[in-house]
Amino acid sequence: MSSRSLRLRGFKDYLPQEMFLRRHIVETLQEVFESYGFEPLATPALERETVLLGYGEEASKQIYRFEDPDGVRVGLRYDLTVPLCRFVLSHPDLVLPFRRYQVQSVWRYDKPDPGRFREFLQFDIDTVGAASVAADGETIAAMAEALRRLKVPFRIRFSNRKILNGLIRYAGIATELAHSVFRVIDKLERIGLERVLKQLGEGYVDDSGARIEGLQLEAAQIEKIEHFLSLGGGKREKVLSALAELLNGIAEAEEGIEELREVSAVLSALDVEGEEAAVDPTIARGLDYYTGVVYEAQVVGGERFGSVMGGGRYDG
Amino acid sequence: MSSRSLRLRGFKDYLPQEMFLRRHIVETLQEVFESYGFEPLATPALERETVLLGYGEEASKQIYRFEDPDGVRVGLRYDLTVPLCRFVLSHPDLVLPFRRYQVQSVWRYDKPDPGRFREFLQFDIDTVGAASVAADGETIAAMAEALRRLKVPFRIRFSNRKILNGLIRYAGIATELAHSVFRVIDKLERIGLERVLKQLGEGYVDDSGARIEGLQLEAAQIEKIEHFLSLGGGKREKVLSALAELLNGIAEAEEGIEELREVSAVLSALDVEGEEAAVDPTIARGLDYYTGVVYEAQVVGGERFGSVMGGGRYDG
């Protein structure tokens, strides 16, 4: 074995210069988030496999899983959201609302790419419990301030899981199909509108010649989803009004929109305008966990790397 | 499964108060070590199993090992020393001497105990390459300053691997037995002198009734080792003079003692006296890696937790 191949493929050593940069980023984020009342948390690298399998089938394939010497099936954490849920369940005496940030490595068995590694640092911000949604506005404002201080061009998108649930009602889709529909919508940025619509219907053949199965929704249902998907991108008030009009009469969606109006008002009061933080009803962020407001930040020009920061509200 | 048992046995969540304390410790150590010219490094959590098996048989049993989805045998790092060796081999263009510190988690499949976890943070300081041994004196002084600033009562012990090699010559022990002898000596603090001497000879029966095999050394050889083991504990100059007398004429040992005299002079110049940093010829620290000066720090009253900081010189 040559000395260069001693290191595992897809993994990386961080040399001093990179470590100083990484520390600068981490310290900036810590400082800003703590000034907004978030507290640090760390959870173990290893969790029970039963806990980690909550991610769904696709993610499960990317989890480093094995049997430990006790004969317990375990895995390396895939993100910081599922460990947070496990943490909350393991600490029934936790005082809610619990606002935490977490900066730790996660592991994903993924195709290694330049700039894409199998171990990388995640920074997560979440609120657990029943605080006012104004807190979500403050979180998004803190994310904006942190990214401003780091001098990276960024764009935050936020939404509310209640709106996606409302869409299912609006389009008359069977509840058992909801998650599959969300999973397809979640791919919008990656695969584009045309393929999303095809996958909602009859499916398509991708570039590698593989057949992607469709969900076989009716044309009228797909049309309603298409309309919904077209609503993002403008001023926050405009998007929210359009959503309110579209999902008029669906109680859960109306509640979600009302919460987003409150978030938007907090953002405006804290001088975070639409160019920095926009309503995007298509984002889902971890399909099974969040119950309310969700948000994620991207670096402008670096969208292909996915979100650099994200979080949301979980009301247990 | 009850919600409390969701977390894996032997692992721990770090709540905000513990995180603030941990950060204070890490930041203090970073600041002191950087002021002494050490630079931060981070290596992957996963390494090839072939790399990790360099720890020897006993440690190998405690390594979390498995086959990754590529079919490669991998494991979670057991300490930060072997990853450093792998790092140096993977970066043949590295400018030497390389002085690095590393603060990362390590994983050991160990009997969980209160205060003893299967994942814990290690802080390691090492010098790789051919710098003067004065650098080792500075490192020990930096460790002393860091621990003083943290206001914990501490004791640093240091030695030189060349002295242990000299002992093998002095006692007339076959080279192929050297590592087994070091392994037994390394247990001195844990099992006590009497059992060490028995294990060097005919072996003994431990508290659980298990038979511990002895190395079957001759009585005269064991007597020489016993004398050697009795030399630590006094003033640095006194210990070094006694070692010089005992190992007189063994070139490698004389070289090691001379290096320790230089280290001791640097320590005295930096106001680190014998109560803080003592010569202890019995410490080995990672039996297969270090080639020169080695050192480790313990918290006074917390010796059973092992060393809280350690390092040494590796001249490739």
Side-chain angles (χ1 to χ4, degrees), chain A residues 119-134:
Chain A
E119 175 183 50
F120 55 96
L121 211 58
Q122 274 206 340
F123 199 104
D124 254 37
I125 313 293
D126 287 282
T127 302
V128 181
S132 146
V133 291

Side-chain angles (χ1 to χ4, degrees), chain B residues 252-267:
Chain B
E252 188 175 6
E254 286 176 344
E255 190 181 308
I257 292 163
E258 203 39 58
E259 288 176 3
L260 291 189
R261 283 194 208 280
E262 200 179 326
V263 168
S264 180
V266 171
L267 287 173

Side-chain angles (χ1 to χ4, degrees), chain A residues 1 3-9 11-17 19-20 22-23 27 30 34 38-48 50-51 61 63-70 72-77 83 85-87 89-94 98 101 104 107 109 118-119, chain B residues 1 3-9 11-17 19-20 22-23 27 30 34 38-48 50-51 61 63-70 72-77 83 85-87 89-94 98 101 104 107 109 118-119:
Chain A
M1 192 184 302
S3 62
R4 284 196 177 272
S5 68
L6 280 172
R7 190 178 50 234
L8 271 173
R9 191 159 166 261
F11 289 83
K12 182 176 164 28
D13 294 313
Y14 288 84
L15 286 132
Q17 281 317 309
M19 290 295 286
F20 287 123
R22 185 158 105 170
R23 192 199 307 172
E27 285 176 355
Q30 281 178 341
E34 287 176 16
F38 286 84
E39 294 188 305
L41 178 76
T43 62
L46 288 175
E47 297 276 0
R48 290 178 188 278
T50 46
V51 168
K61 285 184 211 153
I63 299 175
Y64 283 92
R65 293 188 267 161
F66 58 100
E67 192 174 290
D68 80 3
D70 287 334
V72 178
R73 294 288 310 173
V74 299
L76 288 166
R77 66 178 165 247
C85 294
R86 196 271 308 144
F87 170 82
L89 291 170
S90 309
H91 292 79
D93 47 349
L94 193 71
F98 179 60
Y101 71 85
Q104 292 191 279
W107 293 268
Y109 175 73
R118 289 175 170 176
E119 175 183 50
Chain B
M1 193 185 302
S3 62
R4 284 194 178 273
S5 68
L6 280 172
R7 190 178 51 233
L8 270 173
R9 190 157 166 261
F11 289 84
K12 181 176 164 29
D13 295 313
Y14 287 84
L15 285 132
Q17 281 317 309
M19 291 295 286
F20 287 123
R22 185 158 105 169
R23 193 200 306 171
E27 285 177 355
Q30 281 179 341
E34 286 175 17
F38 286 85
E39 294 188 304
L41 178 77
T43 63
L46 288 175
E47 297 277 0
R48 291 179 188 276
T50 46
V51 168
K61 285 185 210 150
I63 298 174
Y64 284 92
R65 294 189 268 160
F66 58 100
E67 191 174 291
D68 82 2
D70 286 334
V72 178
R73 294 287 311 173
V74 299
L76 288 166
R77 65 178 166 249
C85 294
R86 196 272 308 144
F87 170 81
L89 291 171
S90 307
H91 291 80
D93 48 349
L94 193 70
F98 180 58
Y101 71 86
Q104 292 191 278
W107 293 268
Y109 174 73
R118 290 175 169 176
E119 175 183 50

Side-chain angles (χ1 to χ4, degrees), chain A residues 153-174:
Chain A
F154 68 92
R155 189 173 66 117
I156 296 170
R157 304 182 299 162
F158 66 99
S159 183
N160 195 319
R161 286 297 308 274
K162 294 172 184 171
I163 294 175
L164 278 184
N165 293 339
L167 169 67
I168 295 299
R169 286 282 310 275
Y170 165 69
I173 293 167

Side-chain angles (χ1 to χ4, degrees), chain A:
Chain A
M1 192 184 302
S2 89
S3 62
R4 284 196 177 272
S5 68
L6 280 172
R7 190 178 50 234
L8 271 173
R9 191 159 166 261
F11 289 83
K12 182 176 164 28
D13 294 313
Y14 288 84
L15 286 132
Q17 281 317 309
E18 297 166 296
M19 290 295 286
F20 287 123
L21 177 62
R22 185 158 105 170
R23 192 199 307 172
H24 168 67
I25 295 171
V26 168
E27 285 176 355
T28 303
L29 298 176
Q30 281 178 341
E31 203 177 300
V32 171
F33 283 105
E34 287 176 16
S35 77
Y36 277 79
F38 286 84
E39 294 188 305
L41 178 76
T43 62
L46 288 175
E47 297 276 0
R48 290 178 188 278
E49 188 179 71
T50 46
V51 168
L52 296 174
L53 292 183
Y55 289 109
E57 203 182 325
E58 206 160 326
S60 296
K61 285 184 211 153
Q62 297 193 349
I63 299 175
Y64 283 92
R65 293 188 267 161
F66 58 100
E67 192 174 290
D68 80 3
D70 287 334
V72 178
R73 294 288 310 173
V74 299
L76 288 166
R77 66 178 165 247
Y78 172 88
D79 75 0
L80 304 176
T81 309
V82 163
L84 173 64
C85 294
R86 196 271 308 144
F87 170 82
V88 171
L89 291 170
S90 309
H91 292 79
D93 47 349
L94 193 71
V95 178
L96 299 182
F98 179 60
R99 302 176 81 185
R100 81 87 175 83
Y101 71 85
Q102 204 167 335
V103 193
Q104 292 191 279
S105 292
V106 301
W107 293 268
R108 294 183 185 182
Y109 175 73
D110 207 345
K111 276 210 168 62
D113 242 340
R116 190 180 190 87
F117 295 96
R118 289 175 170 176
E119 175 183 50
F120 55 96
L121 211 58
Q122 274 206 340
F123 199 104
D124 254 37
I125 313 293
D126 287 282
T127 302
V128 181
S132 146
V133 291
D136 297 304
E138 288 170 22
T139 306
I140 296 170
M143 282 170 60
E145 185 179 331
L147 291 163
R148 258 185 242 132
R149 279 211 213 173
L150 289 172
K151 298 186 186 9
V152 288
F154 68 92
R155 189 173 66 117
I156 296 170
R157 304 182 299 162
F158 66 99
S159 183
N160 195 319
R161 286 297 308 274
K162 294 172 184 171
I163 294 175
L164 278 184
N165 293 339
L167 169 67
I168 295 299
R169 286 282 310 275
Y170 165 69
I173 293 167
T175 317
E176 57 272 26
L177 269 180
H179 274 193
S180 306
V181 171
F182 296 158
R183 235 175 273 276
V184 175
I185 290 176
D186 206 37
K187 298 201 271 184
L188 181 61
E189 184 147 86
R190 195 148 45 86
I191 67 174
L193 180 63
E194 197 187 338
R195 289 183 165 186
V196 163
L197 298 179
K198 281 184 179 161
Q199 199 175 344
L200 292 171
E202 300 194 335
Y204 66 97
V205 175
D206 76 6
D207 298 336
S208 72
R211 168 98 199 130
I212 307 295
E213 284 303 320
L215 294 178
Q216 309 295 341
L217 299 186
E218 293 163 20
Q221 293 176 316
I222 297 175
E223 209 170 295
K224 283 178 167 167
I225 295 174
E226 183 178 6
H227 187 177
F228 173 85
L229 296 178
S230 72
L231 295 180
K235 275 193 180 301
R236 293 197 293 252
E237 295 69 26
K238 210 180 120 244
V239 175
L240 289 170
S241 298
L243 281 169
E245 199 182 314
L246 189 76
L247 303 176
N248 178 34
I250 298 170
E252 187 175 7
E254 287 176 343
E255 190 181 307
I257 293 162
E258 201 40 58
E259 288 175 3
L260 290 188
R261 281 194 208 281
E262 200 178 327
V263 168
S264 180
V266 170
L267 287 173
S268 299
L270 294 168
D271 291 322
V272 181
E273 298 305 335
E275 308 83 60
E276 290 188 329
V279 173
D280 183 341
T282 70
I283 69 163
R285 274 206 68 74
L287 294 157
D288 299 330
Y289 321 111
Y290 295 112
T291 58
V293 179
V294 290
Y295 30 88
E296 60 183 49
Q298 294 178 316
V299 172
V300 173
E303 287 83 357
R304 70 194 172 94
F305 296 120
S307 69
V308 293
M309 220 185 268
R313 167 176 295 267
Y314 170 78
D315 289 323

